[in-house]
């Protein structure tokens, strides 16, 4: 192998000793050993998380569903050690098995390419991919043998490649990044607030595709619904067609580097009109990944809005009904904000025992169980002393609906809501200060058809909790995504006003799961499968 691979100088990797157990290991294990050996700060700064081989195979299978078997060129702009290119390289070699080995070795360098800024990973990847070419290299008469072609290069994957690839596949780096003024101007059409590396790679990947080119990316599910990704969604939805989304059913144990974010494999086609989106789940049993059909969904007409897509087969009917609902909280006079008290910035103003003028704090723990109550675990930090002249904006003195902002992945419910009604507010002293792990929903209409009682019933229903999960890829419950929940029309809400609690709960379930769409949704599920 040392005679077949061209030497690539680098200084990043200087091993002190040979790791004997890796001598006979497959390439992906060597690549994984490299990335896990990096200092955790280096790995985090670069957002490096290599893809398990079985998951890489599923990504390639999903890509082939979109691009077909006759693809001509592929690029991984964040290739690391090239794990995502092993399956495409094998496919390409199998399709050119009848060609002369010298022609194959000449053509493969333009057919399979990868870029990365980590020179050690690039060298390692060239060795791993080069091993796939050795059988052809050996068929070349010794006098005519040349070093194997270099498929991976040290280069910026966000820069425009010299030649466009028909297919892009990637597991881009994750993590916020500070942009220069020039870069912020360059990517401004995709940014809303801070920049994340994976978002830049998604935008760049689509931008550099030719018409009808296909891109598949393994990325955090948060881009499907988060506020910070609204311009990214707007660009991706306008410039390409989202064809397939596969949700990873399991998070723990997928990446050796410990990524626990919910992730998806998303496939886009450049320049196509938006149609149905085939949704699947990728399950993992004993290290074996397989794609299981869920059903179909559609992107909203305003593609920058959260993408409401089914996560399970049971969600298909729910999403189909909700997609036709045009009303949101703001249409009924409700606003959503984050509790203003950042307690660790106000430690010297927070006390266990009150003095005159001190105000009670509402913590996230105080709204567990669907009602506002005083959780004893927070009583040592129960009161805040405000400066009347400058802190009055923090005081809540009107009824509201409170929703926890942060939940755990294993929680049965994503939305935990409770009413701070007039009676409860009076019990708490007629005014409170809400801590910033709580969303505060207030109504500025005098007679809104969406009353506090109906809103709390909606948020506490199992069906709306499921719907919210189809809007987001995060365990955080954001004000932005709460504001995007599809709601029934005013006439329906007015009919609900006279129902008792049991009747209201049943009516909510019925309106979101209309039986007449069941057959339509079964057909969509069959299409996806």
């Amino acid at each position: 192998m040392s005679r077949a691979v061209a030497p690539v100088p680098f200084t990043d990797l200087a091993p002190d000793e040979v790791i004997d157990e890796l001598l006979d290991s497959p390439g992906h294990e060597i690549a994984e050993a490299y990335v896990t050996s990096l200092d955790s700060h280096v790995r985090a700064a670069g957002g490096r998380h290599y893809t398990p081989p079985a998951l890489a195979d599923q990504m390639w299978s999903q890509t082939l569903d979109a691009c077909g078997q006759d693809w001509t060129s592929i690029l991984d702009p964040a290739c690391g050690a090239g794990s995502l290119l092993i399956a495409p390289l094998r496919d390409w070699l199998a399709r050119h098995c009848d060609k002369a080995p010298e022609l194959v070795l000449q053509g493969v360098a333009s057919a399979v390419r990868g870029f990365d800024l980590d020179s050690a990973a690039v060298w390692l990847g060239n060795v791993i991919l080069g091993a796939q070419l050795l059988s052809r290299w050996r068929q070349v008469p010794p006098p005519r043998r040349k070093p194997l072609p270099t498929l991976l290069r040290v280069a910026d994957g966000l820069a425009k490649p010299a030649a466009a690839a028909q297919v892009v596949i990637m597991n881009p780096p994750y993590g916020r990044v500070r942009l220069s003024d020039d870069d912020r101007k360059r990517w401004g059409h995709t940014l809303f607030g801070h920049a994340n590396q994976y978002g830049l790679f998604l935008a760049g990947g689509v931008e550099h595709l030719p018409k009808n080119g296909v891109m598949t990316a393994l990325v955090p599910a948060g881009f499907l619904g988060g506020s910070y990704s609204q311009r990214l969604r707007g660009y991706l939805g306008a410039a390409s067609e989202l064809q397939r989304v596969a949700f990873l059913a399991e998070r723990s144990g997928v990446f050796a580097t410990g990524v626990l974010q919910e992730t998806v494999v998303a496939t886009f086609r450049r320049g196509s009109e938006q149609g149905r989106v085939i949704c699947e789940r990728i399950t993992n049993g004993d290290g074996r990944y397989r794609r299981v059909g869920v059903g179909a969904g559609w992107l909203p007409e305003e593609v920058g809005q959260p993408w409401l897509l089914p996560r399970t087969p049971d969600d298909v009917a729910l999403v189909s009904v909700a997609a036709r609902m045009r009303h949101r909280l703001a249409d009924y006079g409700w606003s959503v904000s984050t509790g203003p008290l950042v307690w660790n910035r106000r430690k010297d103003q927070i006390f266990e025992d009150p003095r005159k003028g001190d105000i009670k704090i509402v913590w996230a723990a105080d709204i567990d169980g669907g009602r506002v109550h005083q959780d004893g675990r927070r009583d040592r930090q129960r009161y805040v002393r405000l400066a009347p002249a400058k802190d009055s904006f923090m005081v809540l003195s009107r009824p509201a609906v409170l929703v926890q902002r942060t939940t755990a992945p294993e929680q049965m419910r994503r939305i935990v809501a409770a009413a701070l009604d007039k009676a409860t507010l009076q019990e708490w002293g007629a005014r409170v200060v809400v801590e910033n792990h709580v969303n505060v929903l207030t109504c500025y209409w005098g007679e809104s058809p969406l009353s506090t009682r109906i809103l709390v019933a909606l948020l506490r229903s199992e069906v709306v909790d499921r719907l919210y999960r189809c809007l987001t890829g995060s365990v955080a419950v954001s004000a932005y995504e709460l504001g995007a929940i599809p709601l029934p029309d005013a006439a329906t809400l007015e009919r609900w006003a006279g129902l008792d609690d049991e009747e209201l709960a049943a009516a909510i379930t019925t309106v979101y799961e209309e039986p007449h769409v069941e057959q339509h949704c079964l057909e969509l599920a069959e299409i996806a499968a």
Side-chain angles (χ1 to χ4, degrees):
M1 188 71 180
S2 62
R3 289 184 296 166
V5 178
V8 179
F10 59 85
T11 58
D12 302 46
L13 186 65
D16 296 325
E17 58 184 19
V18 175
I19 305 176
D20 293 336
E21 59 266 29
L22 291 178
L23 290 177
D24 296 319
S25 297
H28 71 269
E29 291 185 8
I30 298 173
E32 186 176 279
Y34 164 67
V35 75
T36 54
S37 72
L38 294 172
D39 181 273
S40 60
H41 294 92
V42 173
R43 193 167 59 238
R48 306 179 200 182
H49 306 285
Y50 285 10
T51 314
L55 180 54
D57 289 343
Q58 289 301 323
M59 289 180 64
W60 181 233
S61 173
Q62 180 170 320
T63 305
L64 287 175
D65 287 343
C67 71
Q69 298 289 340
D70 297 327
W71 61 275
T72 56
S73 59
I74 187 169
L75 170 68
D76 183 346
C79 64
S83 298
L84 291 181
L85 293 174
I86 293 175
L89 176 58
R90 289 172 176 165
D91 274 10
W92 190 88
L93 291 172
R95 287 196 288 119
H96 294 81
C97 61
D98 57 342
K99 292 186 178 179
E102 288 176 282
L103 294 178
V104 170
L105 295 175
Q106 288 174 11
V108 70
S110 59
V112 179
R113 293 174 290 150
F115 302 147
D116 204 283
L117 294 176
D118 184 341
S119 57
V122 166
W123 180 88
L124 185 59
N126 276 320
V127 173
I128 292 169
L129 295 178
Q132 306 295 321
L133 303 174
L134 277 178
S135 61
R136 302 298 179 92
W137 182 80
R138 291 193 186 101
Q139 295 171 12
V140 178
R144 299 208 302 268
R145 285 178 185 167
K146 299 177 181 178
L148 288 172
T150 300
L151 303 185
L152 312 183
R153 298 186 181 278
V154 178
D156 181 0
L158 292 175
K160 185 176 180 179
Q166 180 193 355
V167 178
V168 170
I169 191 168
M170 60 177 160
N171 176 4
Y174 305 172
R176 295 187 185 186
V177 61
R178 184 181 296 275
L179 299 179
S180 67
D181 290 343
D182 287 344
D183 283 340
R184 183 159 285 278
K185 183 177 180 180
R186 161 76 177 85
W187 299 105
H189 62 295
T190 72
L191 300 177
F192 187 87
H194 66 255
N196 196 301
Q197 294 181 86
Y198 81 82
L200 302 182
F201 273 90
L202 276 177
V206 164
E207 181 180 290
H208 299 149
L209 281 175
K211 184 174 176 58
N212 293 320
V214 168
M215 177 181 75
T216 293
L218 175 62
V219 289
F223 93 94
L224 297 172
S227 173
Y228 288 122
S229 298
Q230 57 186 275
R231 286 184 180 168
L232 175 63
R233 287 192 300 273
Y235 171 73
L236 295 175
S240 64
E241 176 193 12
L242 176 64
Q243 292 196 326
R244 287 180 177 267
V245 172
F247 299 87
L248 266 69
E250 301 292 334
R251 305 182 201 187
S252 61
V254 175
F255 299 98
T257 44
V259 176
L260 292 180
Q261 297 181 61
E262 183 179 2
T263 49
V264 298
V265 178
T267 298
F268 299 84
R269 181 181 292 276
R270 171 73 170 173
S272 300
E273 292 185 3
Q274 287 295 342
R276 68 175 186 271
V277 181
I278 302 303
C279 299
E280 299 170 306
R281 289 177 68 80
I282 296 179
T283 62
N284 177 15
D286 300 325
R288 297 180 179 180
Y289 291 86
R290 66 189 187 99
R291 288 186 292 141
V292 179
V294 166
W298 288 264
L299 300 192
E301 292 180 5
E302 189 178 340
V303 288
Q305 292 299 309
W307 293 351
L308 181 63
L309 299 170
R311 264 57 167 177
T312 71
D314 290 341
D315 295 333
V316 176
L318 173 62
V319 166
S320 180
V321 171
R324 303 200 306 271
M325 294 181 176
R326 297 289 179 249
H327 294 81
R328 302 295 184 266
L329 283 172
D331 297 319
Y332 295 118
W334 286 85
S335 63
V336 190
S337 60
T338 300
L341 177 64
V342 183
W343 73 270
N344 56 1
R345 298 178 186 174
R346 303 261 184 169
K347 291 180 181 179
D348 59 344
Q349 296 174 246
I350 296 175
F351 303 94
E352 180 178 1
D353 298 314
R355 293 193 323 193
K356 184 178 180 180
D358 289 356
I359 304 175
K360 273 189 174 182
I361 301 171
V362 179
W363 299 88
D366 295 330
I367 59 176
D368 284 340
R371 64 182 183 86
V372 179
H373 63 284
Q374 194 166 312
D375 191 295
R377 293 170 296 177
R378 284 297 188 181
D379 281 347
R380 296 189 66 181
Q381 299 170 300
R382 181 53 64 188
Y383 295 90
V384 62
R385 193 164 300 158
L386 300 179
K390 63 178 181 179
D391 291 336
S392 59
F393 74 94
M394 299 178 66
V395 178
L396 178 64
S397 57
R398 58 187 300 188
V401 174
L402 307 180
V403 179
Q404 286 185 351
R405 282 188 62 214
T406 304
T407 56
E410 65 274 8
Q411 275 187 220
M412 293 295 293
R413 291 193 57 79
R414 184 66 68 233
I415 300 177
V416 179
L420 183 68
D421 54 25
K422 289 182 180 179
T424 305
L425 188 59
Q426 286 299 319
E427 290 175 10
W428 281 62
R431 56 185 190 147
V432 296
V433 172
V434 181
E435 190 258 342
N436 79 322
H437 286 91
V438 178
N439 289 301
V440 182
L441 287 65
T442 54
C443 187
Y444 50 87
W445 284 10
E447 295 293 334
S448 173
L450 182 59
S451 66
T452 296
R453 174 175 172 264
I454 292 176
L455 176 56
V456 171
L458 281 162
L459 295 177
R460 293 185 63 188
S461 68
E462 183 270 340
V463 69
V464 171
D465 193 77
R466 280 173 44 213
L467 181 62
Y468 182 82
R469 289 172 184 267
C470 294
L471 273 172
T472 181
S474 172
V475 295
V477 180
S478 75
Y480 175 79
E481 286 160 319
L482 285 172
I485 295 175
L487 298 171
D489 59 34
T492 300
L493 298 179
E494 289 166 356
R495 287 197 301 271
W496 287 354
L499 302 179
D500 63 31
D501 290 349
E502 186 174 336
E503 292 170 334
L504 178 57
I508 290 170
T509 300
T510 299
V511 80
Y512 280 99
E513 294 186 337
E514 296 176 28
H516 70 266
V517 301
E518 182 176 346
Q519 182 59 42
H520 172 62
C521 296
L522 287 173
E523 293 171 358
L524 293 177
E526 291 173 1
I527 291 171

